[in-house]
Amino acid sequence: MRCGRSNVVRPDKEQAVEEIAGKFGDAQAALLTEYRGLSVGEIAEVRRALRDVEADYKVLKNTLTRIAVREVGLDELVEMLQGPTAVAFCRGDAVAAAKALDDAAKKYPVLVVKGGVLRGQVIDADQA
């Protein structure tokens, strides 16, 4: 009997990958962050600030997100998907969302912007 992971993707995980890929495809920008050290209340505050500028802040499983970004041709994001990752998906003004994240990072220094994608182009942390 063989132990280990199966290469078969369960339907619920397949659906989650499709949803994540759709969010990357629909967003004006997606900014990846590491949120290690933030409390639940602090994450909720970051979510509210981003919601005000038409962005959703989602904590995602790296394994599923890696599959999704590969599906939409954003392979360069894979290396950024290390550690606890949350993504700000921007539907509105990407600059306003980046500013909201920057303000949150100043208030909570443990929040780190890793990089992301802007109009289909992968950007690093400095560009984000």
Side-chain angles (χ1 to χ4, degrees):
M1 189 166 156
R2 214 174 128 223
C3 294
R5 290 186 175 170
S6 168
N7 287 335
V8 178
V9 178
R10 293 192 335 235
D12 57 329
K13 296 201 183 222
E14 190 173 303
Q15 180 181 357
V17 167
E18 286 176 23
E19 287 175 20
I20 295 166
K23 286 185 179 298
F24 274 99
D26 293 342
Q28 294 291 319
L31 303 171
L32 283 66
T33 66
E34 182 170 325
Y35 63 91
R36 185 187 331 250
L38 287 179
S39 70
V40 172
E42 291 165 344
I43 290 173
E45 190 176 322
V46 172
R47 278 193 173 114
R48 274 190 300 276
L50 287 166
R51 199 174 309 124
D52 290 345
V53 293
E54 298 182 66
D56 296 318
Y57 193 60
K58 302 285 184 188
V59 173
L60 302 171
K61 286 190 167 284
N62 286 341
T63 306
L64 300 178
T65 306
R66 283 186 197 107
I67 296 167
V69 297
R70 284 185 178 118
E71 282 186 6
V72 296
L74 298 170
D75 296 43
E76 295 170 68
L77 291 180
V78 171
E79 65 189 43
M80 295 180 202
L81 294 167
Q82 304 295 324
T85 304
V87 182
F89 292 102
C90 312
R91 299 179 313 278
D93 182 7
V95 173
K99 182 173 180 350
L101 266 181
D102 189 48
D103 291 346
K106 286 176 183 163
K107 185 172 184 179
Y108 306 113
V110 294
L111 178 69
V112 177
V113 178
K114 299 178 183 185
V117 60
L118 176 63
R119 292 184 211 97
Q121 298 296 316
V122 173
I123 56 176
D124 64 21
D126 291 335
Q127 293 168 315

